Amino acid sequence: MTQKYEPVIGLEIHARLKSKTKMFCACSNNTWKSEPNEHTCPICMGFPGSLPTINKEAVYLGRKMGAALGCEIKKFSKFDRKSYFYPDLPLGFQTSQFDEPVCEHGNLQVIVSGEKKSFRINRLHLENDAGKSTHSAHNSLLDWNRAGSPLAEMVTEADFRSPTDVSAFLKEVQRILRLLDISDADMDKGMMRCDVNVSIRPFGQEKFGTKVEMKNMNSFRNIEKALEFEIDRQTKLCNAGKKDEIVQETRGFNPDTGKTFSQRSKEEAMDYRYFPEPDLPPLIITQEEIDALQKEIPELPSSKILRYLDAGIGIAEADALVNDKYVNAVFEFVSEKTEDMKITSNWVLGALSKYLNDNLEYSLVNFNPENLVILIQLIQNNKISNKIANQIFDEMISENKNPEEIVEAKGLAQESDTGAIEIICKEVLEEKSDLVEAYKSGKDKLFGAFVGQVMKKSKGKANPQVVNELLKKLLS
Ligand SMILES: [Zn+2]
């Protein structure tokens, strides 16, 4: 059956900003490995009479995130109180932004399965996080370390038409947050959290269908699976003429069954009684400051991917090259000097990535990429073979050695001297005279065996191209 319906998906993404301290107090924001309630003070615990102050660094990071997402940075913005009660919210309200967020109207280009797409961002605002409650059968435990941590919340337009669109977008956002040091954006640690809403509508129809929301999804995989299930569920109901059974509600996702389930239906829209935060001044930024901030935004991953594709690199490789900030920095540095993205990509994703996987304690921050440049240039100039390069790679990286020195010390330089190689070729052909007969009587495949023998005799140092040419000459 041809597909009659198209999915319409929108996202709300929370990113925990990587400032040193919390949003409105001087408590550390680096609470990941701390004891419960180690980082708390009267401000983030909401003691009466305590007064908040705005963390400049967090505001800067939020605006930078907006700039990277192509948003307009608002010259005037303010904080508002969003009132609701929950035990892990000690103040009885969240300090958020209602009608004047720091950024609005963004647009992010994303590469989805090799194709360029762009998705609109409605707004980005700043707020503080709540604490964490852990419930057991007999009691509830509260940890306020996270209370007051700075969050940037971005709301997209409902521009996504498939789970693949969504994963590609989230991946790009995560890469940008890490590239610009805005957030660690680890979903499993709650540094990046995502609410997804999804509805379906007949193709060609403009009006949205009834949407279902799924909150606090914590992995790309679960988001994709939950969306696939939900789209299928809604499509089946529509096809069966049971459109009315799709109700506006919040649904949970069970990763074990791969199914979504009803959590709570949307009653009346909650009244948060927003009003301007009386204890904080508005946020003002000048045009000059906005211009300066925009200049800080480097080339984004999606644009790099397009450049790599143009250079003949495959989509999977191009994608892998932008996944890690340091791996990408090494690749950019080395490929610029070797002027060959393909060879550089092979080394970065091959030997270098293997080394990093095998030596998890090794950090690329300590790696001198100039050595990889020299190694590749040695190959490009026929000074060493690929095989020798692979042999010395680990020594080069683990001891931070110049590969040229290793080659020299070990006498591994490739032999391109025709005279010396010719002697070896002749020796091999004499030793294998029976094979030479067979070759001459038409067994062309034996040629490879001669090359192999010569390479072996030269201990891998003979230039294979020279060997090929000489053998062809000697055998004709
Ligand atoms: Zn505090």
Side-chain angles (χ1 to χ4, degrees):
M1 188 175 68
T2 50
Q3 257 204 315
K4 275 179 7 202
Y5 300 95
E6 71 170 348
V8 176
I9 306 163
L11 307 172
E12 281 176 28
I13 301 166
H14 282 91
R16 179 156 158 183
L17 301 170
K18 215 177 163 178
S19 57
K20 283 176 214 70
T21 55
K22 293 186 184 180
M23 191 75 226
F24 301 115
C25 65
C27 290
S28 171
N29 183 34
N30 187 5
T31 57
W32 179 238
K33 284 179 179 162
S34 309
E35 292 293 314
N37 296 309
E38 201 181 321
H39 303 289
T40 50
C41 74
I43 297 170
C44 55
M45 292 192 75
F47 281 24
S50 62
L51 285 173
T53 44
I54 300 174
N55 179 343
K56 256 189 179 174
E57 191 192 8
V59 174
Y60 162 77
L61 291 173
R63 285 181 174 142
K64 194 171 172 182
M65 178 172 168
L69 299 171
C71 292
E72 174 199 334
I73 297 168
K74 305 269 295 206
K75 286 185 181 157
F76 176 91
S77 146
K78 67 174 174 65
F79 286 103
D80 300 274
R81 289 190 181 180
K82 180 182 181 181
S83 313
Y84 65 97
F85 176 77
Y86 204 73
D88 60 16
L89 190 73
L91 289 142
F93 61 85
Q94 182 184 29
T95 309
S96 183
Q97 298 193 289
F98 181 51
D99 52 350
E100 298 280 4
V102 275
C103 302
E104 273 182 340
H105 309 131
N107 206 311
L108 185 67
Q109 175 187 286
V110 176
I111 310 301
V112 187
S113 318
E115 205 184 305
K116 196 161 61 172
K117 287 191 180 178
S118 71
F119 302 100
R120 290 170 300 158
I121 291 131
N122 177 286
R123 59 181 272 156
L124 182 145
H125 66 255
L126 296 168
E127 58 190 29
N128 56 358
D129 207 348
K132 191 181 165 201
S133 39
T134 311
H135 307 288
S136 67
H138 304 291
N139 55 22
S140 286
L141 300 169
L142 287 166
D143 176 7
W144 280 298
N145 276 344
R146 207 176 65 181
S149 279
L151 296 176
E153 177 178 343
M154 61 183 269
V155 182
T156 73
E157 298 292 350
D159 282 352
F160 307 89
R161 295 292 170 267
S162 72
T164 331
D165 280 357
V166 171
S167 332
F169 181 85
L170 289 173
K171 214 170 166 186
E172 181 71 4
V173 169
Q174 188 182 54
R175 284 166 172 161
I176 291 173
L177 293 175
R178 289 177 177 168
L179 177 74
L180 299 181
D181 250 334
I182 291 171
S183 168
D184 287 331
D186 289 323
M187 290 197 86
D188 54 346
K189 291 180 189 162
M191 304 285 186
M192 181 168 156
R193 312 196 282 264
C194 189
D195 299 347
V196 189
N197 61 69
V198 53
S199 61
I200 61 168
R201 65 181 173 192
F203 274 105
Q205 178 183 304
E206 213 161 299
K207 197 169 157 268
F208 291 158
T210 305
K211 72 180 177 186
V212 158
E213 202 173 8
M214 294 179 281
K215 283 182 178 290
N216 280 320
M217 304 292 288
N218 57 6
S219 85
F220 292 162
R221 200 180 144 69
N222 284 350
I223 291 171
E224 221 174 311
K225 281 171 72 180
L227 279 171
E228 274 163 13
F229 178 85
E230 196 49 34
I231 291 164
D232 187 56
R233 183 184 75 90
Q234 294 182 18
T235 306
K236 278 180 182 152
L237 284 172
C238 283
N239 282 337
K242 294 178 183 167
K243 196 171 136 226
D244 294 345
E245 284 182 29
I246 304 173
V247 292
Q248 195 171 343
E249 61 179 346
T250 302
R251 292 179 77 88
F253 174 68
N254 181 342
D256 296 329
T257 60
K259 291 179 181 173
T260 67
F261 56 92
S262 182
Q263 271 179 326
R264 60 193 148 95
S265 63
K266 199 104 176 176
E267 303 109 31
E268 301 278 300
M270 180 108 153
D271 179 9
Y272 292 116
R273 292 175 289 119
Y274 279 103
F275 66 92
E277 167 59 60
D279 291 336
L280 294 170
L283 295 167
I284 311 282
I285 184 169
T286 65
Q287 189 58 48
E288 290 72 38
E289 288 168 319
I290 293 174
D291 294 344
L293 185 62
Q294 261 150 355
K295 280 201 191 101
E296 279 182 44
I297 308 302
E299 184 186 17
L300 298 181
S302 66
S303 145
K304 287 184 178 180
I305 291 179
L306 287 177
R307 207 153 45 74
Y308 301 163
L309 293 176
D310 275 349
I313 292 176
I315 178 70
E317 287 78 19
D319 204 68
L321 284 170
V322 294
N323 265 342
D324 182 276
K325 177 161 113 175
Y326 294 105
V327 168
N328 187 256
V330 170
F331 174 73
E332 286 282 337
F333 178 88
V334 177
S335 61
E336 203 191 320
K337 297 207 167 185
T338 60
E339 293 177 3
D340 191 328
M341 279 204 194
K342 268 186 119 170
I343 294 183
T344 309
S345 150
N346 288 343
W347 280 95
V348 168
L349 297 177
L352 183 63
S353 296
K354 182 177 182 299
Y355 186 87
L356 294 176
N357 276 335
D358 294 347
N359 301 275
L360 291 174
E361 76 292 347
Y362 186 85
S363 163
L364 271 183
V365 180
N366 307 316
F367 173 62
N368 179 4
E370 192 66 49
N371 286 335
L372 183 55
V373 174
I374 298 170
L375 186 82
I376 293 175
Q377 286 170 343
L378 287 171
I379 304 167
Q380 287 173 322
N381 300 329
N382 288 322
K383 293 265 171 58
I384 58 172
S385 62
N386 255 312
K387 203 176 152 195
I388 298 285
N390 271 302
Q391 270 175 34
I392 65 171
F393 188 86
D394 282 13
E395 185 179 344
M396 172 190 96
I397 189 166
S398 63
E399 295 175 31
N400 222 349
K401 267 191 187 167
N402 181 330
E404 213 159 10
E405 283 164 19
I406 306 175
V407 167
E408 209 146 292
K410 297 195 169 173
L412 293 171
Q414 183 161 277
E415 187 62 79
S416 294
D417 171 21
T418 319
I421 300 177
E422 190 164 358
I423 294 172
I424 303 176
C425 289
K426 280 180 177 164
E427 276 173 24
V428 166
L429 296 182
E430 250 166 57
E431 282 162 22
K432 306 281 174 191
S433 54
D434 47 336
L435 292 183
V436 174
E437 289 300 312
Y439 175 79
K440 286 187 172 164
S441 66
K443 291 204 167 169
D444 292 351
K445 280 184 190 159
L446 286 168
F447 189 78
F450 298 132
V451 176
Q453 285 295 321
V454 175
M455 292 308 291
K456 199 172 157 194
K457 255 196 149 153
S458 75
K459 301 198 172 72
K461 293 192 303 191
N463 180 335
Q465 213 180 325
V466 177
V467 174
N468 266 290
E469 283 163 16
L470 284 173
L471 281 173
K472 266 183 201 150
K473 194 184 85 184
L474 290 169
L475 285 165
S476 64

